[in-house]
């Protein structure tokens, strides 16, 4: 209940105004940071704009960088709406990437849509399995899913490294990766001379599916009931433990899909470190998007643009781009939290003064002490 | 040979345990008062970074640790402002701060400091305690450590005494179990929680500083590699008791030390899977060995007057 009250929008102001204001403030803060390291913020933002939105290729870079964060964030939001914290999306992305690669490497060359379809299915299953482990531990052992889902990130990263450095290693290669996949196994480019691939379409489908699942199905109703009040849901006949298990698996499935899109669509091969903290930034994307698929699409595009734009920075040293995304992500969610806190205080004060006015009208000023009861 | 292996294993284990133990004690104190710090990782990372930065700027190890404390405290202050002033959910705030600290330290490392921070810096020296350090097997591990590790060891009984035997400890427990009742007894819950959070930030900062200033001697992005989360797990696995946290930290550290030794000795197991071992052990420990967990009743719940 408390989680939802804090992170989910209850009014238009909460849904749109607060996040937009928070993003503007966060970008202003990034500008100050850029000034501190001696960059001209106007020039920096100019080149960031050029590299993220300036032409079709830049735009496609933004979308491509938004997609993994978007898809993983959808899963994280589904979990949060059931009151669960899937902090381990990064690991589920890695498992998805590894599973998709395994299909490509072991299956024969088949006509186009078959291999990507099989690979994506494998990735979804692998991500779901990796998310189901903390789900099961939470449901039946009472272990906090925050810690276990995160520990599994480190395990997944090591599994990916092992696959790349031992069974799939290319002798003499300087950086661990597989050979590039054949075009039969990749997600095709949609617009020539850009990076835009079929993964973007899959992401949109995933967003619609997430919305439909949570807001339009019986399962989604039960899911939200568990997020609102697990005890009461139990009395209503919802099997809460199975629900926790299923939701964490679904949450992981989205992240697994994100991993397969990154491997099959963007990289065209499995490469060490192919997810650069996408799964962690996706948590911020989910929160900034206020857990709604539409908001999540917006937040993911913002972070995608920042990532694409950061690479266009003149002063960019290695690693600045991704760190700017993380700073902007952290700051914008932080400002959202502050904004919601302020909003809540105002709402309370208004309610208190209305109650006070009410009491004064009916009982005279003497009874005004009763207003404290009505305020909360 | 066997005795040698064991002695070296223990030296490595205690060295690895130091940062974890300090952070875990801080988190234990904070959770006792009802404040959960998912950003323990971020506090350690900030301490690891500012400790190295402080060492580079001052060339003085004491000032470097002060800087590390400052880094941890800064993250604690942001958590307190978000949760106590603006009533943010503690888990949301913690997750957000982890992302923010990871981004900020990487940004500062890459852009403001250039390659300087990856340079080696002054490190805290080991002090061998005469006679005791010569005890076979355990001597080197326990009695040839740096001053911060010695203080961490003393911190375990000290934390127990503080929590169980002092009025401040009672106030902490009251704030974490029944904040309304505590307030009615004249305990200022907000002030007590701020104090607990500050202690946690300072200790996690020292823990992070010990990681870079005690062992590595340099900073890399994300250098804490999940140690803050392992410390969080240690508090749970230790059932919110100081000696329990110590036992949990030692378990994880022995496993970690074992996997490092196993790598150097060339065990016929892929090193990638060995690296994953401490994280797996953490999960198994939480899943299998914890029979009854009872966190403080008001853990993670903001107190509103």
């Amino acid at each position: 209940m408390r989680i939802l009250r804090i992170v989910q929008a209850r009014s238009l102001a909460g849904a749109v105004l607060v996040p937009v204001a928070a993003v503007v403030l966060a970008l202003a803060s990034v500008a100050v940071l850029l000034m501190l390291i001696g960059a001209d913020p106007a020039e920096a933002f100019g080149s960031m704009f050029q590299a993220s939105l300036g032409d079709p290729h830049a735009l496609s870079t933004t979308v491509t960088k938004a997609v993994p964060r978007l898809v993983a964030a959808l899963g994280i939001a589904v979990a949060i709406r059931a009151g669960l914290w899937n902090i381990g999306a990064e690991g589920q992305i890695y498992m998805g990437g590894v599973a998709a690669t395994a299909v490509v490497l072991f299956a024969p060359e088949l006509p186009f849509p078959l291999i990507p379809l099989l690979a994506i299915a494998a990735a979804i299953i692998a991500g779901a399995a990796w998310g189901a482990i903390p789900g099961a531990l939470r449901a039946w052992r009472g272990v906090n899913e925050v810690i276990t889902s995160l520990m599994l990130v480190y395990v997944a990263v090591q599994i990916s490294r092992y696959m790349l450095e031992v069974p799939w290693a290319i002798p003499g290669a300087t950086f661990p990766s597989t050979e590039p996949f054949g075009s039969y196994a990749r997600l095709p480019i949609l617009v020539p001379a850009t990076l835009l691939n079929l993964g973007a379409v899959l992401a949109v489908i995933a967003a619609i599916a997430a919305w439909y699942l949570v807001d339009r199905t019986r399962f989604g109703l039960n899911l939200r009931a568990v997020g609102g009040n697990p005890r009461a849901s139990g009395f209503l006949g919802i099997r809460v433990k199975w629900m926790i298990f299923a939701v964490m698996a679904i949450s992981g499935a989205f992240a697994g899909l994100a991993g397969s899109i990154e491997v099959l669509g963007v990289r065209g091969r499995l490469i060490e470190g192919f997810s650069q903290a996408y799964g962690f930034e996706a948590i911020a994307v989910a929160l900034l998007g206020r857990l709604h698929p539409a908001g999540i699409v917006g937040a993911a595009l913002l972070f995608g643009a920042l990532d694409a734009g950061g690479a266009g920075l003149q002063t960019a040293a290695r690693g600045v781009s991704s760190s700017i995304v993380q700073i902007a992500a952290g700051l914008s969610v932080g400002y959202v939290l502050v904004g919601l806190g302020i909003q809540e205080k105002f709402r309370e004060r208004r309610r208190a003064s209305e109650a006070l006015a009410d009491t004064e009208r009916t009982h005279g000023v003497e009874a005004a002490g009763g207003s404290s009861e009505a305020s909360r | 040979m066997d005795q040698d292996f064991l002695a070296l294993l223990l030296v490595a284990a205690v060295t690895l345990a130091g940062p974890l133990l300090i952070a875990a004690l801080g988190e234990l104190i904070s959770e006792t008062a009802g404040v959960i710090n998912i950003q323990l990782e971020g506090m350690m990372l900030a301490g690891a970074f500012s400790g190295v930065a402080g060492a580079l700027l001052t060339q003085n190890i004491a000032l470097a640790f002060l800087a590390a404390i400052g880094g941890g405290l800064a993250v604690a202050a942001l958590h307190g402002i978000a949760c106590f002033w603006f009533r943010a959910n503690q888990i949301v705030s913690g997750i957000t701060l982890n992302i923010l600290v990871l981004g900020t330290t990487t940004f500062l490392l890459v852009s403001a400091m250039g390659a300087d921070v990856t340079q080696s810096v002054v490190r805290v020296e080991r002090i061998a305690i005469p006679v005791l350090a010569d005890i076979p097997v355990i001597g080197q591990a326990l009695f040839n450590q740096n001053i911060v590790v010695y203080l961490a060891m003393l911190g375990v009984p000290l934390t127990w005494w503080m929590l169980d035997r002092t009025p401040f400890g009672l106030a902490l427990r009251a704030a974490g179990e029944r904040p309304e009742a505590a307030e009615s007894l004249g305990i200022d819950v907000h002030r007590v929680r701020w104090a607990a959070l500050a202690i946690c930030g300072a200790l996690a900062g020292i823990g992070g500083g010990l990681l870079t200033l005690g062992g590595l001697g340099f900073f890399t992005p994300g250098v804490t590699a999940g140690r803050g989360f392992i410390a969080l797990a240690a508090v749970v696995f230790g059932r919110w008791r100081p000696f329990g946290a110590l036992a949990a930290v030692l378990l994880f550290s022995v496993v970690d030390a074992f996997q490092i030794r196993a790598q150097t000795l060339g065990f016929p197991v892929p090193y990638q899977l060995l690296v994953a071992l401490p994280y797996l052990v953490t999960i198994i420990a939480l899943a299998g060995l914890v029979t009854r967990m009872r966190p403080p009743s008001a853990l993670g719940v903001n107190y509103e007057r």
Side-chain angles (χ1 to χ4, degrees):
Chain A
M1 193 62 199
R2 285 203 51 81
I3 296 170
L4 295 187
R5 206 186 67 194
I6 299 291
V7 294
Q8 210 180 13
R10 288 198 308 181
S11 63
L12 192 65
V16 180
L17 272 182
V18 170
V20 168
V23 165
V24 171
L25 264 178
L27 291 181
S29 310
V30 169
V32 171
L33 262 185
L34 289 172
M35 267 163 74
L36 286 179
I37 63 160
D40 174 8
E43 195 189 301
F45 274 111
S47 53
M48 282 177 82
F49 181 84
Q50 191 58 37
S52 59
L53 306 165
D55 57 66
H57 188 272
L59 207 58
S60 75
T61 311
T62 292
V63 172
T64 310
K65 300 239 179 229
V67 162
R69 297 175 169 108
L70 158 60
V71 177
L74 292 169
I76 291 165
V78 169
I80 297 177
R81 292 193 69 180
L84 296 166
W85 292 101
N86 177 15
I87 309 298
E90 180 79 354
Q92 295 142 18
I93 289 175
Y94 271 96
M95 293 313 280
V98 169
T101 305
V103 168
V104 175
L105 293 182
F106 290 117
E109 187 174 334
L110 297 172
F112 160 64
L114 289 176
I115 293 295
L117 271 179
L118 284 174
I120 287 170
I124 288 175
I125 292 169
W130 217 243
I133 297 170
L137 292 175
R138 165 70 194 269
W140 289 289
R141 301 291 308 172
V143 182
N144 188 328
E145 77 281 9
V146 172
I147 295 169
T148 47
S149 66
L150 199 114
M151 291 290 121
L152 284 173
V153 172
Y154 298 95
V155 179
V157 169
Q158 293 305 325
I159 290 176
S160 158
R161 273 177 69 184
Y162 171 73
M163 296 312 284
L164 282 171
E165 290 173 12
V166 184
W168 299 340
I170 302 171
T174 48
F175 196 81
S177 94
T178 63
E179 299 282 4
F181 302 155
S183 60
Y184 71 94
R186 294 195 193 190
L187 298 177
I189 297 285
L190 296 178
V191 181
T194 71
L195 301 173
L196 191 71
N197 64 65
L198 193 63
V201 178
L202 293 177
V204 173
I205 295 172
I208 295 168
W211 168 78
Y212 188 82
L213 176 75
V214 176
D215 285 323
R216 285 291 177 275
T217 64
R218 172 100 205 162
F219 179 83
L221 188 68
N222 290 347
L223 180 156
R224 284 176 284 144
V226 171
N229 190 335
R231 269 179 66 102
S233 322
F235 294 137
L236 287 174
I238 299 170
R239 294 202 291 175
V240 175
K241 290 183 175 178
W242 279 101
M243 204 67 198
I244 289 171
F245 175 75
V247 168
M248 286 297 284
I250 291 170
S251 186
F254 278 98
L257 171 65
S260 66
I261 292 175
E262 185 69 12
V263 166
L264 302 172
V266 181
R267 312 272 177 175
R269 60 166 114 177
L270 186 69
I271 183 164
E272 187 166 310
F274 73 91
S275 172
Q276 298 157 332
Y278 292 151
F280 293 118
E281 287 158 28
I283 304 167
V285 170
L287 294 170
L288 187 61
R290 310 301 307 280
L291 307 183
H292 191 282
I296 289 171
V297 170
L301 284 172
L302 171 77
F303 291 175
L306 280 170
D307 196 356
L313 276 177
Q314 304 274 311
T315 49
R318 200 170 50 84
V320 168
S321 165
S322 62
S323 67
I324 283 181
V325 182
Q326 285 157 4
I327 292 172
L331 284 178
S332 37
V333 177
Y335 292 140
V336 165
L337 294 178
V338 170
L340 294 180
I342 294 171
Q343 208 189 2
E344 199 186 345
K345 277 185 186 169
F346 270 119
R347 199 176 288 145
E348 250 167 44
R349 196 167 299 169
R350 198 172 56 224
R351 226 180 280 146
S353 63
E354 276 167 10
L356 185 69
D358 253 16
T359 328
E360 283 173 356
R361 220 177 16 253
T362 46
H363 301 296
V365 189
E366 293 81 18
S371 66
S372 63
E373 213 176 323
S375 71
R376 181 153 273 274
Chain B
M1 166 65 199
D2 277 350
Q3 204 178 14
D4 242 26
F5 177 82
L6 198 61
L8 285 170
L9 182 79
L10 287 178
V11 169
V14 174
T15 307
L16 290 164
L20 285 178
L21 180 60
I22 300 171
L25 289 177
E27 177 63 13
L28 172 62
I29 291 167
S30 180
E31 288 198 12
T32 302
V35 183
I36 190 164
N37 300 284
I38 303 295
Q39 80 288 6
L40 196 64
E41 174 85 1
M43 288 169 160
M44 289 183 81
L45 191 57
F49 177 83
S50 57
V52 170
L56 275 175
L57 294 174
T58 64
Q59 302 297 335
N60 178 315
I61 195 71
L63 291 176
F65 269 100
L66 264 183
I69 291 176
L73 277 177
V75 181
L78 291 175
H79 190 54
I81 289 170
C83 299
F84 303 155
W85 292 5
F86 295 102
R87 300 175 184 179
N89 179 287
Q90 292 181 10
I91 292 179
V92 175
S93 167
I95 292 167
T96 309
L97 283 170
N98 277 333
I99 298 172
L100 186 61
V101 174
L102 179 63
T104 308
T105 50
T106 308
F107 180 83
L108 291 175
L109 176 81
V110 176
S111 54
M113 305 231 166
D116 275 0
V117 180
T118 52
Q119 276 176 17
S120 292
V121 292
V122 284
R123 282 193 248 168
V124 55
E125 298 291 335
R126 285 174 186 267
I127 306 165
I129 297 176
V131 186
L132 291 178
D134 298 329
I135 301 174
V137 187
I138 59 165
Q140 287 293 310
L142 294 180
F143 302 111
N144 186 15
Q145 290 289 347
N146 64 55
I147 181 82
V148 185
V149 175
Y150 290 136
L151 289 176
M153 292 175 186
L154 285 179
V156 178
L158 203 67
T159 306
W160 169 82
W161 174 79
M162 192 267 284
L163 289 176
D164 274 27
R165 293 285 184 274
T166 66
F168 179 62
L170 185 66
L172 286 174
R173 283 184 286 143
E177 292 287 349
R178 296 271 181 278
E180 292 82 8
E183 194 89 1
S184 73
L185 290 174
I187 293 169
D188 187 336
V189 171
H190 274 295
R191 188 177 293 181
V192 168
R193 286 189 166 185
W194 265 115
L197 177 57
I199 292 170
C200 178
L203 289 179
I206 295 175
L210 181 58
L211 197 64
T212 45
L213 299 171
L216 298 170
F218 58 86
F219 180 88
T220 53
V223 68
T224 42
R227 284 184 176 79
F229 295 102
I230 291 186
L232 263 171
V235 174
V236 178
F237 186 45
R239 297 191 193 182
W240 291 272
R241 312 288 304 157
F243 286 99
L246 172 67
V249 162
L250 283 178
L251 170 70
F252 303 143
S253 307
V254 167
V255 172
D256 206 6
F258 171 77
Q259 66 92 2
I260 293 170
R261 295 294 307 159
Q263 278 186 50
T264 52
L265 291 179
F267 268 42
V269 178
Y271 83 92
Q272 298 91 343
L273 303 188
L274 287 171
V275 173
L277 199 59
Y279 304 104
L280 276 173
V281 166
T282 304
I283 296 168
I284 294 165
L286 287 178
L289 300 178
V290 178
T291 45
R292 271 216 316 258
M293 293 181 291
R294 209 193 66 79
S297 312
L299 181 61
V301 181
N302 287 337
Y303 176 69
E304 289 159 27
R305 273 199 192 96

